[in-house]
Amino acid sequence: MVGLGVCFAGLLGASAFGRSQEGASGQGSKPGSLDIGGRTRTYLLHVPPAYHGKKPLALVLVLHGGGQSPASAERMSGMSGKADRENFLVAYPSGTGRSSRMPTWNSGNCCGYAMENKVDDVAFIRALIDN
């Protein structure tokens, strides 16, 4: 993963996505969105081919680096392929920015648009897990 701007990849308990997943129907990577604090936030959700919604699966979050995207994090991390082999879900949320080409995360003392606009990335990640 040299050069990969993955800020965080965390394995969460299977109960986080233990409910029946309407948004996780079908396999592969599909875009999704959530409204958080008046802002539409986007993500990719990768569902492994063996998933049929009957058993809870673990969820791995992969956050892209500054100026990257969910698609680039998916491609560079190889996590979707691993999810297909090991049978878990992967969410690739998107940061925010002045343009969709330069998204960042609000880490409190960094980074650009997200910090300057006090974007609540924690609320977004929590909502993504709950969804």
Side-chain angles (χ1 to χ4, degrees):
M1 293 200 329
V2 175
L4 178 61
V6 174
C7 298
F8 172 80
L11 183 60
L12 302 172
S15 63
F17 266 69
R19 298 178 294 282
S20 173
Q21 294 300 302
E22 293 175 22
S25 63
Q27 291 78 23
S29 297
K30 299 188 186 236
S33 65
L34 297 169
D35 290 324
I36 307 295
R39 185 183 309 269
T40 299
R41 302 296 303 268
T42 61
Y43 61 90
L44 287 178
L45 179 65
H46 182 82
V47 180
Y51 183 62
H52 299 289
K54 295 179 181 167
K55 288 200 229 176
L57 294 181
L59 169 68
V60 173
L61 296 172
V62 179
L63 278 63
H64 62 75
Q68 295 180 337
S69 68
S72 67
E74 180 181 35
R75 185 176 56 255
M76 293 167 51
S77 71
M79 195 60 69
S80 291
K82 179 130 180 104
D84 289 347
R85 291 187 302 276
E86 303 294 331
N87 203 33
F88 59 86
L89 301 168
V90 185
Y92 302 92
S94 182
T96 57
R98 285 179 183 74
S99 77
S100 62
R101 293 171 29 166
M102 286 301 295
T104 59
W105 299 100
N106 182 358
S107 66
N109 62 357
C110 172
C111 287
Y113 178 90
M115 180 190 71
E116 293 164 7
N117 291 278
K118 298 181 174 36
V119 174
D120 192 347
D121 288 322
V122 173
F124 171 43
I125 299 301
R126 284 183 178 151
L128 180 58
I129 293 167
D130 290 344
N131 189 45

